[in-house]
Amino acid sequence: MGDVDLSPITGEADPLAALRAAAGLRQRLEREEAVLVRRARNGGASWADIAGALGVTKQAVHKKYGGRRLLGRKED
């Protein structure tokens, strides 16, 4: 997977406009990540597998996405 070109944001002359763009990008990435975590869990991935893919601890990913909040799945 290739790197995302952030030069349109970081090259923005107005730092406040760049911050707004960065915030919008962060929100979109959070939504996309949540969808992918849900897909991974529905596909049988463990919290440890997902944590490894995200580069965080199992506890961190479980706290953010875990428990009954994720499509009613039971914790494991």
Side-chain angles (χ1 to χ4, degrees):
M1 193 180 268
D3 290 333
V4 175
D5 181 12
L6 295 178
S7 59
I9 293 174
T10 58
E12 172 66 52
D14 178 358
L16 294 178
L19 287 169
R20 285 188 289 275
L25 181 58
R26 185 185 317 86
Q27 290 169 354
R28 181 174 175 205
L29 286 172
E30 288 289 328
R31 287 190 304 268
E32 295 293 329
E33 184 176 284
V35 167
L36 293 171
V37 168
R38 186 170 50 245
R39 285 179 53 199
R41 287 294 290 162
N42 287 339
S46 70
W47 290 115
D49 294 335
I50 295 167
L54 292 174
V56 299
T57 66
K58 175 184 168 184
Q59 292 80 6
V61 76
H62 191 267
K63 180 178 180 181
K64 186 172 184 177
Y65 297 109
R68 301 184 194 322
R69 293 180 305 225
L70 192 66
L71 295 180
R73 291 184 61 117
K74 289 187 174 184
E75 298 179 29
D76 61 20

